[in-house]
Amino acid sequence: MELIVTSTVVLFSLGLVASVVLAAASRLLSVEEDPRVEAVTDILPGANCGGCGYAGCEGFAAAVIYDPNVSPSGCCAGNEEITAKVAQLSGKVAGETVPQVAFRRCDRVTGNVRQVFQYQGVLTCRAAKTIHYGPYACTHSCFGLGDCVRACPFSGMSIKNGVVYTNPELCTACGTCVRSCPNEVLELIPKQARVMIFCSTRDRAKTVSAVCEVGCISCTKCIKKCPAHAISMKNNQVHIDHQTCL
């Protein structure tokens, strides 16, 4: 009996000492957080989509408060009202932003791209790409297995006729879908863009025309004809500078 009592007292004493030490350590090592960070976090949509370039909304809130180079308009899931409130709390000026939307650089259906085999496996584009670079003759095309649809935190994407479509009303241009696509078919463009390129291939000439009726063959005629010099070739792929485009 005496042994039990002694053991209980010892354990209780150890627990008490440990709790005191932890309480003292938490007080001494505590870091006071700027209340503005919590205020900004509460204003943000809370999607934690990562479109701002930070791990989550709290990460962006801390950055916009502490880093003078972070713009209050960095939350792509927010709107003008949220941007204005963030600017007020951070003491910064809310700059103008250009609304963007995710765009599919592929017209596999119109191009009559042939399906070379019936893929049977894990229904993701990334998994399908590991088998002979994908089930379609154009290995750079949209496979339509929905990696981007599942990745989108705003339900802004859907699969129709075997390819992905973006709902511009729901898309916030967070870029999650762009990062999820193994073929880099998706890109962010201004909502008001007038000229787009519906091709993501990096192949050239006969290689493209042999598999797709509407594919870009990298002839560079568009680059030479553009009066605003807004078109360029990067990594065997045509790109448009939408800010320069007339």
Side-chain angles (χ1 to χ4, degrees):
M1 184 65 180
E2 183 178 352
L3 179 60
I4 294 175
V5 173
T6 302
S7 300
T8 302
V9 171
V10 170
L11 290 174
F12 177 79
S13 300
L14 288 174
L16 181 61
V17 171
S19 62
V20 171
V21 171
L22 289 174
S26 64
R27 183 178 295 273
L28 290 172
L29 301 176
S30 63
V31 178
E32 291 188 11
E33 187 176 273
D34 192 321
R36 294 178 299 168
V37 174
E38 184 177 356
V40 171
T41 304
D42 292 339
I43 291 172
L44 298 174
N48 293 313
C49 61
C52 58
Y54 298 92
C57 294
E58 188 174 356
F60 169 71
V64 78
I65 293 297
Y66 297 130
D67 190 340
N69 297 318
V70 177
S71 171
S73 61
C75 177
C76 55
N79 50 33
E80 292 183 0
E81 182 181 354
I82 290 176
T83 298
K85 290 180 178 179
V86 173
Q88 184 178 10
L89 284 169
S90 60
K92 297 178 178 178
V93 178
E96 293 185 7
T97 57
V98 178
Q100 293 186 309
V101 67
F103 166 69
R104 168 173 47 82
R105 284 188 58 136
C106 176
D107 205 359
R108 173 170 58 78
V109 177
T110 304
N112 291 318
V113 177
R114 181 172 54 91
Q115 185 172 357
V116 294
F117 66 87
Q118 185 68 40
Y119 171 70
Q120 295 182 341
V122 179
L123 293 179
T124 69
C125 301
R126 197 166 296 278
K129 189 176 177 66
T130 63
I131 310 298
H132 299 294
Y133 300 101
Y136 293 96
C138 176
T139 58
H140 302 280
S141 64
C142 172
F143 294 164
L145 295 178
D147 291 32
C148 51
V149 175
R150 289 183 289 273
C152 179
F154 304 100
S155 302
M157 313 198 82
S158 59
I159 301 295
K160 297 177 184 177
N161 299 322
V163 291
V164 66
Y165 284 85
T166 302
N167 184 336
E169 299 300 321
L170 297 177
C171 177
T172 66
C174 68
T176 303
C177 60
V178 176
R179 294 187 293 272
S180 72
C181 180
N183 279 353
E184 299 180 0
V185 166
L186 299 167
E187 68 177 7
L188 298 179
I189 65 171
K191 282 188 175 182
Q192 300 303 320
R194 298 183 301 106
V195 182
M196 287 83 77
I197 300 172
F198 288 84
C199 184
S200 63
T201 187
R202 288 178 172 78
D203 297 327
R204 292 195 174 189
K206 292 182 179 181
T207 305
V208 177
S209 57
V211 298
C212 181
E213 296 176 6
V214 297
C216 173
I217 60 173
S218 301
C219 65
T220 70
K221 287 184 179 180
C222 58
I223 297 176
K224 299 172 184 175
K225 292 286 186 179
C226 179
H229 305 290
I231 308 176
S232 61
M233 182 74 72
K234 298 177 183 178
N235 298 323
N236 291 332
Q237 209 177 50
V238 174
H239 289 270
I240 298 176
D241 182 346
H242 294 282
Q243 291 184 339
T244 306
C245 182
L246 298 175

